[in-house]
Amino acid sequence: MSRVSPASARRTRARRTRQASLVVAAEAVFAECGLGAASMDAVATRAEVSKGLAYAYFADKGDLCDAVAVRALRRLRAALAEAVRQPAPDAFGRLTALGQAYAAFATDRPADFALFEYRVGQAPPYAAGSHAAACHRVTLGLFSTARQTLRAGLADGSVRPDLDPDRAALALWSGLHGFVAVALRSDVQAWYGVERAVLLADGLRLLLDGVRPCSPSR
């Protein structure tokens, strides 16, 4: 069994520390400037490293965005896990909690939500070991939570019996993401006289009405 030398271990730790500092700097720059306006130069400056060193750790801005998105998705995963652990009368109640947690997370962390929107446009295949592949794995885990909750609803009768959990999970996320994006990106109060919180509540209720059985079985 080969042993890692102390010098090699120190270099590995230093590399991880520098990479993490770049990701933290990128989070701050993205939050201040937005993804479109942010640059590798600005991130390197915030991290107090050279632009060349930033490119030594990330192939390009897209790779850096993916690395930051991994952290954002993991935060979302933790928020949804906490929501689904809360007491609820049935699986439909847990599904409602998941939707509310997603909307609340997006509202509280708009920079993270912007990264989710960015990731929607990044199609597979992803290079093995890449940050994009890591994003995909976390996203699949999020979908698994929704699917499992829908399957539990099929078992306890709190969701429509004709639903396919895989297709329903994708449809629910698509609808939820869509109206959350409208709520965050548009001044719905000025345009339509509707408060953001009201739009979020109405959108979630209408979306989940399509999941609830016509005659709930008890």
Side-chain angles (χ1 to χ4, degrees):
M1 183 184 211
S2 61
R3 298 182 61 185
V4 178
S5 70
S8 178
R10 284 195 298 272
R11 286 193 296 272
T12 298
R13 288 195 299 270
R15 179 177 177 82
R16 288 174 178 168
T17 298
R18 283 193 294 269
Q19 187 176 54
S21 71
L22 281 163
V23 171
V24 171
E27 284 184 328
V29 172
F30 293 167
E32 291 175 6
C33 306
L35 290 182
S39 66
M40 291 290 281
D41 272 333
V43 172
T45 298
R46 177 63 67 94
E48 299 182 339
V49 301
S50 68
K51 183 178 178 181
L53 185 60
Y55 277 109
Y57 288 95
F58 300 98
D60 51 30
K61 180 180 170 181
D63 186 30
L64 180 56
C65 284
D66 289 335
V68 179
V70 171
R71 285 166 57 95
L73 285 163
R74 286 172 176 165
R75 283 191 289 264
L76 175 62
R77 179 177 62 188
L80 297 186
E82 176 63 24
V84 83
R85 281 196 296 266
Q86 299 305 307
D90 50 31
F92 183 86
R94 293 194 296 276
L95 200 62
T96 301
L98 285 174
Q100 291 170 336
Y102 186 89
F105 184 92
T107 302
D108 293 341
R109 302 190 66 94
D112 283 358
F113 186 77
L115 285 162
F116 304 159
E117 291 193 284
Y118 157 78
R119 282 299 309 161
V120 168
Q122 310 307 305
Y126 308 114
S130 66
H131 295 113
C135 285
H136 188 57
R137 285 194 300 273
V138 180
T139 301
L140 289 180
L142 297 175
F143 272 105
S144 178
T145 299
R147 286 195 298 267
Q148 290 170 5
T149 307
L150 284 162
R151 290 192 182 105
L154 290 171
D156 68 18
S158 62
V159 305
R160 282 170 38 192
D162 61 313
L163 289 181
D164 176 282
D166 293 339
R167 289 170 54 190
L170 178 58
L172 285 172
W173 172 78
S174 300
L176 178 61
H177 185 88
F179 73 73
V180 169
V182 170
L184 293 183
R185 299 287 180 257
S186 304
D187 189 347
V188 292
Q189 175 69 52
W191 290 5
Y192 308 109
V194 177
E195 294 181 5
R196 174 187 293 172
V198 173
L199 171 59
L200 292 173
D202 287 349
L204 183 59
R205 183 176 63 254
L206 290 170
L207 190 64
L208 291 177
D209 277 349
V211 174
R212 190 192 297 272
C214 294
S215 300
S217 56
R218 298 294 179 195

